Every structure is written in C-alpha cells, then in structure tokens.
Amino acid sequence: MDTTPTTNKKSEPGMIALATLILVAAVANLNLSVANVALPSIGFAFNASQVQINLVAVSYSLGLAASVLWFGALGDHHGRKMMLIIGTLLAIPASIIAGFAPSVEILIGARIIGGLAAGMAFPTTLALIAALWSGPKRTKSIALWSAIGAAIAALGPLISGYLLTFTNWGSVFLITLPLAVVALVMAIKFIPDHVNEEKAPVDNMGGLLSLLLLGTLILAINFAPVPNSGTLIISLLIIAAASGILFIRRQRSVENPLYDLKVASRSIFWVAACAGIIVFGALMGAMYIGQQFLQNVLSYSTLDSGLAILPAALLMILVAPQSAKLVESHGSRFTLLAGYVFCLLGFLAMLFLWQDHIPYWKVGLAYAFVGIGVGLAGTPASHSLTGSVPVKRVGMASGTADLQRDFGGAIMTSIFGALLTAGYARSIASQINNLPASAQQQITSSIEVTLQKSFSSAAALAQQNPEYSTQIINAAKYSFLAGDHWTYFAGMVAILIGAAIVFFKFPKKEEEEKLLAQYQETDVENQGK
C-alpha cells in the first residue's frame, strides 16, 4: 500500500512555493532562449556554418526534449524535490562551460548538458504544481507558470541583447547563474520533500529508448541540408525508427511503463500534446528566425533586436489570465483554437510584411500576434495534460507538457533551420550562376563555399574584401530572405495542421468535462485495486 504523504486543500502551499517553482522553470526557460540573439555573433566569432549555428540554437532543446520523459519518471519515483535540486545545481557548470567555450563544438556540447540538467528540473516544476494544487487553483497556477515561463523565454533575447552591447557572446550563457543559485536555495527551503510519488520501479530501458528516439530524430533534421551527409541522416533516422518501435513495444509489455500508452491514448491527452508541440514550436521557431532576420537583414543592434520581441513577452503575460478564464468558461478546445488563429496571423504577417527596410511596426505586429496566440493556447495545452492523468502519473503529464515546449521548439527550430540553410544556399548558388561569365571566373570554389556557408560567413568575407562588401551583403540579405520565407510558410502549414487536429479531435466543453470526470473515476477505481 502506498503510504506516501499526500496534500489536500487545507495543506496547499502558498505563493512562495509557486514562486519557487516558477523561478526554477525560469532558469530553464532563459537558457532556452538566450542564445538566439547571440547567434550572429557566435557565427562570426567561430566562422561557423549555418548548420553549426542551428545546432547551437537547438542543442539545449535537444538535451531537454530527449530527457524530460525519463527524468520526469525518475522524479516521480525517487523524489521530485531531489530532481529539482540536482537539475538546478547541474545548470551552473553547464552555463559556465558554455560562456567560456573555446570552440563551437564545445559550446554545442555544453548546451546539450544544460538541456539535460533542465530535463531534471523543468518537468518537476509542473508535476509539483499538479500534485500540490487542485481545481481552479491548479488552473491559475498552471496559467502563471505557463505565461511567466514563456514570457521569460521571450525576454531572453532582450537581456542578451543588452549584454552584447558591451560584452562578448559568452556573457549570454552566464545570465542564469544568479537565478540558479537563488532558485536552488528556495527549492531546498520551500518545496515539500515527498508529494504523491510513485513506488513502482522506473522503466530505465524505456527512458534510454525515448532519449535515443528524440535525440536522433532532431539531429537528423538538423543535418538534412548538409551536403554529402545522406549516410549520416539515414543512419540517424534508422536509429530513431528502431528506437521508436522498441519503445512502443516495451511500453505495451512492461508492468510499469515509463509512458502509459493507455493514458496517452485519451483524446484530451494526445490532442493537447500535439497542439502544444506546434504552439510552443511556433514561438521558438519565430524567435530563432526573427533574431537573425532583425540583425542580418534589418541591421538591428543586439539590444534593438532584443527589444523588438517585447510585444510577444508582454502580451503572453497579459493574455494568460484570460486564457485560464476561457478554459473554465468555454473549454480547452475553444481556447486552443483562438490561440491558433493568432499564431497563424503572426506567421502571415512575417511572410508578407517582413522584408528589407521595413518599419518596426511590421515586426512588432507579427510578434504581438504570436504572443497573444501562445498566451491563449499555452494554458489549455498544459492544463489538459495534467487534468487527464492519474495523480501518480503527473510526472508523465508534466514530462509531456515540457516535451510540448522543448520537442516542439527543437523540431520547429530544426525544420526552420534546415529550410533556412537550404533556401539561403540555393539562392546564393542561383545568384552566382546568373552572373556574367567574366564575374563567375573571379569567384573561386572556396569563396563560393564561404558564401553558401552562412550569412555570418558572408559578412566575414565582406569585411575581408571591402571593395565588394556592398554586393556581398546585398546578395546574402536577398538569400536570407529567400530562406526565411520558406520557414514562415512551413510554420503556417504546421499551425493549420494543429488547428485541424484540435477542431476535429478535441471534445467540446460539455464532453470535455464528462471525459475528465470519467477519467478521474476510472483512475480512482484502478488505484483502489
């Protein structure tokens, strides 16, 4: 019999515990986004290819997305507070290594380690919210956690942009150090030791398979635009497919699965999971491409490009409380679809308005739409997951909620990065081919490779050849715009697919309430057996 202490309404903790959990999540959220504004500087410092720049951006999400399911289950079994503390503690050396990395490869590795640290701490924050609060208080707590987390992630570029005006790129990875120290002390002091934890053993083999599946899939997407990498991509996809098949088979056969497929098959659960992946992926993808667009094409300073995203951050915070009210009054389906509408408007604004020499209002409008969309959709995407699982499975729900953000961000950033890389390289090659024969003869193969490598490489080449600087930069800008338009279109397609899934598969308010009550009744009966 499970004798783990439980909480009830009388023993629900105060705001200090919620503030602690939000602060721990803030460490992960900030680390998720601080690199974006520094990507052009990092590319220039290391003469990095666009693929390496993509990997710097996505490596943190890769480590986090690949580990959240496993680490969330470990927290359910061994202690959520312990995982919270270990993850926050490990974030400190990971940030220091990233901040002083001597090469882009070490920087990518440090970011992956930081992502794994966040995989320990971040899923635990939502699991504890689901375990410590119930009813409307849980909905409001999740709304605050979701909105403040997303806003902090969006504010990352602003803080980074300010630092980059007087320090080098490494400083952006040191931002979270004081936060991590404070969060660590608060977690030790204010978070309960044991809350509704699972006594059954953890499926560690399933955890390894899930890590392989997600990690290799994300890497395969990132290497897709690299020339002569077909063998590597196929190998990664084979590993991902084999891991996926073995993972599903194991979860169906093992007595205590890491990921309960019966619970995951519940319509409220799996639709909310898919919806969140696309919504949060859209946010991270927009931030990733947007920061490079602002600096490379519009020539914004790092500070100005950070300030440019303020509409998204502010509106996410302002809209989130309304989202919680909409979930209570109109249901999750309505609120999710409303969020999707605004996300779609954001990408339409990017596709049709984001050109060279545009005024800021066109940039701010697109970010405002995305901010409203994520603010509306974030709460129901997370709330539906935690509300449709047994209390002992909140680690699985929180892991999936984190997977929404991190896998969504990693996948969308990887897809956007691959499309940007392919579109940019193709446009540069086309421009070279359209030059007169006499001009083509002056462009050596090494120069052509450098031009196609990334915008940063082209900018470095322009500095080395000032007499051709204007032509090189104009060609690079034109090619960047060709590539980023592919990404906006891909974002729109993803949002429309997600909206269709929600519209046709997510239950309306009355049916949602019936299903949630049915799930709770079934889970209570199963727990009593």
Side-chain angles (χ1 to χ4, degrees), residues 47 428 432 440-454 457-458 460-461 464-465 472:
N47 191 25
I428 284 285
I432 292 173
Q440 289 187 39
Q441 290 174 1
Q442 297 180 39
I443 300 175
T444 65
S445 58
S446 62
I447 290 176
E448 185 172 355
V449 168
T450 301
L451 288 170
Q452 292 186 18
K453 193 175 179 181
S454 66
S457 295
L461 186 66
Q464 296 165 13
N465 299 272
I472 293 171

Side-chain angles (χ1 to χ4, degrees), residues 241-441:
S243 301
I245 293 168
L246 290 172
F247 178 76
I248 292 171
R249 290 183 63 181
R250 181 168 179 83
Q251 300 315 293
R252 287 177 174 172
S253 62
V254 73
E255 184 178 348
N256 186 57
L258 176 77
Y259 204 75
D260 193 329
L261 296 180
K262 290 181 181 178
V263 172
S265 66
R266 294 173 174 178
S267 58
I268 291 178
F269 188 95
W270 75 262
V271 176
C274 293
I277 286 172
I278 292 172
V279 165
F280 292 116
L283 171 67
M284 299 310 296
M287 295 300 172
Y288 164 68
I289 295 294
Q291 287 300 312
Q292 294 182 74
F293 166 76
L294 292 173
Q295 293 184 52
N296 293 343
V297 177
L298 297 186
S299 301
Y300 277 31
S301 68
T302 55
L303 178 58
D304 288 340
S305 63
L307 285 168
I309 55 87
L310 274 180
L314 293 174
L315 285 166
M316 275 188 277
I317 295 174
L318 293 174
V319 168
Q322 307 308 314
S323 174
K325 292 177 182 178
L326 280 175
V327 170
E328 296 292 335
S329 62
H330 289 76
S332 297
R333 178 178 180 269
F334 175 87
T335 313
L336 278 169
L337 289 173
Y340 269 105
V341 169
F342 281 98
C343 286
L344 181 63
L345 289 173
F347 275 88
L348 280 168
M350 294 176 203
L351 181 64
F352 291 108
L353 299 181
W354 284 17
Q355 302 290 342
D356 198 4
H357 307 299
I358 60 170
Y360 169 72
W361 71 263
K362 294 184 178 182
V363 175
L365 181 65
Y367 278 137
F369 281 142
V370 173
I372 294 171
V374 176
L376 284 172
T379 298
S382 300
H383 175 267
S384 297
L385 294 174
T386 56
S388 59
V389 301
V391 173
K392 69 176 184 178
R393 287 289 183 188
V394 291
M396 170 183 162
S398 64
T400 304
D402 297 331
L403 197 63
Q404 289 181 137
R405 296 167 179 267
D406 310 317
F407 185 63
I411 286 293
M412 292 288 270
T413 300
S414 298
I415 292 173
F416 282 15
L419 290 172
L420 175 62
T421 302
Y424 174 86
R426 180 179 178 180
S427 178
I428 284 285
S430 176
Q431 290 184 71
I432 292 173
N433 290 334
N434 290 332
L435 290 172
S438 58
Q440 289 187 39
Q441 290 174 1

Side-chain angles (χ1 to χ4, degrees), residues 93-262:
S95 296
I96 293 172
I97 294 170
F100 296 99
S103 69
V104 70
E105 291 81 10
I106 291 176
L107 174 57
I108 291 168
R111 294 274 290 164
I112 291 174
I113 293 171
L116 293 172
M120 297 178 188
F122 194 43
T124 311
T125 59
L126 184 57
L128 282 166
I129 288 174
L132 291 170
W133 286 274
S134 60
K137 287 185 178 179
R138 179 193 287 179
T139 305
K140 291 178 182 177
S141 297
I142 291 173
L144 282 170
W145 174 87
S146 177
I148 295 176
I152 287 172
L155 284 171
L158 172 60
I159 301 168
S160 300
Y162 172 72
L163 285 176
L164 288 169
T165 59
F166 58 87
T167 60
N168 66 17
W169 60 266
S171 62
V172 305
F173 299 109
L174 306 177
I175 293 171
T176 55
L177 289 180
L179 277 180
V181 172
V182 174
L184 188 61
V185 173
M186 291 180 69
I188 293 169
K189 187 173 182 180
F190 298 116
I191 301 303
D193 288 325
H194 300 285
V195 185
N196 289 324
E197 286 162 6
E198 177 63 76
K199 294 299 182 182
V202 177
D203 177 21
N204 290 310
M205 179 57 70
L208 284 170
L209 289 171
S210 69
L211 192 149
L212 272 175
L213 164 63
L214 297 170
T216 52
L217 179 60
I218 293 167
L219 285 174
I221 296 171
N222 276 274
F223 283 110
V226 179
N228 305 316
S229 60
T231 303
L232 174 62
I233 295 167
I234 292 171
S235 300
L236 289 169
L237 289 175
I238 289 172
I239 294 171
S243 301
I245 293 168
L246 290 172
F247 178 76
I248 292 171
R249 290 183 63 181
R250 181 168 179 83
Q251 300 315 293
R252 287 177 174 172
S253 62
V254 73
E255 184 178 348
N256 186 57
L258 176 77
Y259 204 75
D260 193 329
L261 296 180
K262 290 181 181 178

